[in-house]
């Protein structure tokens, strides 16, 4: 295969892999951010109605969540911001009364969200910068061989033209 076709394919595969890698790392890192923030969730068991508290680590254990949210658009410091506001948010936690994992409504979900906004944003920006830096490096790393491949190809065309011209001259002169 022509190297000038192969290089863009390699570049696209590398870029895509890098973006996916960053996305996965961001999700993993987000979990750490939540665990480290150490908030307390006030929850109410949907089965027996018992209210108990869960810590940040327990929050990340379960991926199963039920929620009803409305997006509120607020005007803050001269900028419009969209903020999801939960009317209802429930997750499976270990209920001490039921003795098993049951859905429990998180009563202070909006406070938790508010508290998590800044560290999550910082983590997001960090990964976005890393993603872009890596992307530019991949572009540069594949752009350099591409440049030389193009140059070599251009020279080949030049040589071919020159050859044809000489052949033509030869034929003409003879
Ligand atoms: Zn319960």
């Amino acid at each position: 295969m022509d190297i000038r076709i192969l290089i863009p394919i390699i570049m696209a595969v590398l870029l895509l892999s890098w973006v996916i890698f960053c996305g996965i790392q961001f999700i993993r890192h987000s979990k750490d951010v939540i665990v480290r923030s150490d908030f307390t969730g006030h929850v109410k068991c949907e089965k027996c109605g018992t209210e108990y508290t869960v810590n940040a680590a327990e929050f990340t254990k379960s991926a199963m969540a039920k929620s009803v949210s409305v997006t509120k658009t607020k005007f803050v410091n001269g900028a419009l911001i969209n903020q999801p506001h939960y009317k209802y948010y429930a997750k499976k936690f270990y209920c001490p009364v039921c003795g098993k994992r049951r859905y429990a409504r998180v009563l202070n979900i909006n406070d938790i969200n508010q508290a998590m906004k800044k560290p999550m944003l910082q983590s997001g920006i960090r990964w976005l910068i890393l993603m872009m830096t890596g992307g530019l490096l991949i572009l540069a790393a594949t752009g350099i061989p591409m440049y030389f491949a193009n140059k070599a190809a251009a020279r080949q065309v030049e040589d071919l033209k020159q050859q044809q011209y000489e052949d033509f001259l030869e034929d003409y002169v003879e």
Side-chain angles (χ1 to χ4, degrees), residues 5 26 34 41 53 56 66 75 91 118 122 130 144-145 174:
I5 298 168
F26 168 64
I34 294 171
T53 56
K66 300 189 290 183
F75 200 68
K91 236 179 170 181
K118 205 182 160 195
Q122 281 171 340
L130 260 166
I144 292 163
E174 276 167 11

Side-chain angles (χ1 to χ4, degrees), residues 45-50 52 95-100 102:
C45 177
E46 292 195 325
K47 192 79 183 171
C48 66
T50 307
Y52 56 100
C95 172
V97 176
C98 295
K100 56 164 92 173
R102 294 248 193 237

Side-chain angles (χ1 to χ4, degrees), residues 71-83 117:
T71 305
K72 273 187 181 170
T73 307
K74 281 206 291 190
F75 200 68
V76 180
N77 298 331
L80 284 171
I81 55 160
N82 283 322
Q83 199 172 37
K117 218 164 71 179

Side-chain angles (χ1 to χ4, degrees), residues 1-20:
M1 200 190 276
D2 190 344
I3 191 148
R4 284 177 300 155
I5 298 168
L6 204 62
I7 292 171
I9 292 171
I10 292 169
M11 184 190 76
V13 170
L14 280 176
L15 273 177
L16 197 69
S17 316
W18 174 245
V19 168
I20 292 168

